[in-house]
Amino acid sequence: MLDQSTIAETLGQQYDLAPSLEAAERQSALYARMSRVVTPADWSMHAPYVEAINRLKQERNAVILAHNYMTPQIYHGIADIVGDSLQLAIEATRVEADVIVQCGVHFMAETSKILSPEKTVLIPDMDAGCSLAESITPEGIAEMRRRYPGAPVVTYVNTSAEVKAASDICCTSSNAAQIVAALDAETVIMTPDKYLAQNVAKQVPQKNIVWYDGSCIVHERFTAAELRDFRSWQPDTRIIAHPECPPDVVAEADFSGSTAGIIDYVTREQPDKAMLVTECSMASNISDALPGIEFVGPCNMCPYMKMITLEKVLWSLHSMEGVVEVDASVATGARLAVQRMIDLSQRKAA
């Protein structure tokens, strides 16, 4: 891949990307979805990129899948489908476009390729990794199996294709408790997020859940003391935590759920004030749709998610670089683990 300055120069020669009030006005309907968190000046810089990307994805017959942690200009400006890991995994099996551009991190792009092997899957930055995915290897799965013989392995989707292939079934934060409860085993191995596993253990006390020692660099930094201090300062604030947070943090919250679950909760409950104990872009992406809610308090930024930018998305579609491939022998096992999760989630939801 070319260096960033060369990419910027090349794109500038092909597309009119200078800040433009006219482009901003042409894209005013999109801007209305994020005007609470994106300034008009910033939108005049983003709008030319949004316009170029939306035109180019039509030419490429491409669809853009974006995680809930993407920045507002990506989430509202160019994404065709947004959601949490489970929603994006399901949608990857349904899209009819030739090209999938994954605005998220690398394991998400791998999952899309696993589920849609006939499609071209692009990720705008190959280095957009994940602390959880990097914490576990197939060898780590094998060691857990040796320690707990016969126990099924439930692996979080925040993992590489090789780790998924070494597992029995995958899960997301939205369906982890459901998946574990449905397994016909007394002892269940969960990898790699120890906090998700500990939080699930409280929801499914009939199972003996053992876990790998991994964690998310975004969610592990929140503390229960921090939440207690904030609640004493603003007692009328609804505190909503992601289950990748430590259990004592989740215990301090009024609600815990996946990113999709968080959106559903605040939309349904409409609290006057809400603190989302998760990645920063969550509140930004839903604030305009929920004008009656004041989003307050601390959040933590994911450095990997923020590696995906409008410029990089445009370059990936322009150059068709960043193609994600998964070895066929690995993909077979990984697809089985992911499809088991999807099938079980959809069967339980029916």
Side-chain angles (χ1 to χ4, degrees):
M1 186 173 178
L2 299 175
D3 64 82
Q4 215 53 45
S5 61
T6 304
I7 287 173
E9 181 180 354
T10 303
L11 290 175
Q13 294 169 352
Q14 296 291 322
Y15 309 94
D16 184 3
L17 300 175
S20 168
L21 293 176
E22 292 78 12
E25 178 59 31
R26 288 194 297 270
Q27 304 289 308
S28 60
L30 295 178
Y31 180 57
R33 303 176 187 174
M34 61 189 108
S35 60
R36 191 172 166 186
V37 293
V38 177
T39 68
D42 284 339
W43 182 240
S44 71
M45 293 187 289
H46 297 321
Y49 286 88
V50 169
E51 204 165 49
I53 290 167
N54 285 334
R55 183 168 56 247
L56 189 54
K57 73 182 181 184
Q58 297 299 321
E59 297 174 9
R60 299 289 197 205
N61 190 23
V63 63
I64 295 178
L65 306 185
H67 190 266
N68 291 327
Y69 291 159
M70 287 293 100
T71 55
Q73 58 268 26
I74 291 174
Y75 185 91
H76 292 296
I78 63 171
D80 299 290
I81 299 167
V82 296
D84 64 8
S85 298
L86 177 60
Q87 291 168 321
L88 296 183
I90 292 172
E91 291 300 332
T93 68
R94 297 173 175 169
V95 297
E96 296 181 356
D98 296 323
V99 178
I100 295 174
V101 182
Q102 195 83 39
C103 289
V105 290
H106 194 270
F107 77 80
M108 296 178 181
E110 275 194 335
T111 302
S112 289
K113 184 63 178 179
I114 289 164
L115 295 173
S116 299
E118 76 286 358
K119 298 186 185 302
T120 299
V121 176
L122 305 175
I123 187 165
D125 193 322
M126 280 286 189
D127 292 328
C130 171
S131 60
L132 279 172
E134 292 165 5
S135 73
I136 182 71
T137 63
E139 291 74 24
I141 298 286
E143 173 58 28
M144 293 295 285
R145 288 193 188 276
R146 283 192 291 270
R147 290 171 60 188
Y148 304 98
V153 176
V154 179
T155 289
Y156 202 19
V157 290
N158 300 38
T159 48
S160 68
E162 289 81 5
V163 168
K164 290 181 176 70
S167 307
D168 295 297
I169 189 169
C170 287
C171 74
T172 69
S173 56
S174 63
N175 65 18
Q178 171 191 349
I179 296 289
V180 169
L183 294 176
D184 185 20
E186 181 179 342
T187 297
V188 176
I189 299 167
M190 290 192 70
T191 69
D193 193 318
K194 61 183 176 183
Y195 295 135
L196 177 65
Q198 290 167 31
N199 288 318
V200 168
K202 293 184 177 182
Q203 296 176 267
V204 192
Q206 68 271 27
K207 301 290 186 179
N208 175 35
I209 297 176
V210 295
W211 53 81
Y212 194 80
D213 188 23
S215 60
C216 167
I217 60 172
V218 170
H219 294 99
E220 70 178 351
R221 299 205 305 267
F222 294 105
T223 68
E226 179 181 42
L227 268 59
R228 285 193 295 270
D229 288 345
F230 193 90
R231 196 185 291 279
S232 66
W233 176 47
Q234 295 202 25
D236 57 339
T237 297
R238 202 77 61 90
I239 297 178
I240 304 152
H242 194 281
E244 289 176 22
C245 294
D248 58 346
V249 170
V250 171
E252 292 292 335
D254 298 296
F255 175 80
S256 176
S258 68
T259 56
I262 289 171
I263 293 172
D264 290 343
Y265 178 83
V266 294
T267 301
R268 181 179 68 252
E269 295 292 318
Q270 294 283 321
D272 292 332
K273 294 181 181 180
M275 182 173 80
L276 306 189
V277 187
T278 187
E279 213 277 342
C280 292
S281 287
M282 271 293 299
S284 298
N285 288 334
I286 63 178
S287 61
D288 277 70
L290 300 166
I293 302 175
E294 179 184 356
F295 291 96
V296 297
C299 64
N300 291 325
M301 193 79 75
C302 176
Y304 299 111
M305 289 284 184
K306 295 310 181 266
M307 294 174 76
I308 307 300
T309 65
L310 288 174
E311 182 178 76
K312 291 177 182 178
V313 175
L314 179 58
W315 177 254
S316 69
L317 279 169
H318 172 80
S319 65
M320 296 300 290
E321 290 186 4
V323 176
V324 175
E325 300 289 356
V326 179
D327 183 85
S329 61
V330 172
T332 299
R335 187 179 305 115
L336 183 59
V338 176
Q339 195 61 53
R340 282 173 177 160
M341 172 191 72
I342 293 173
D343 292 345
L344 181 56
S345 296
Q346 293 179 329
R347 186 163 65 247
K348 292 290 184 180

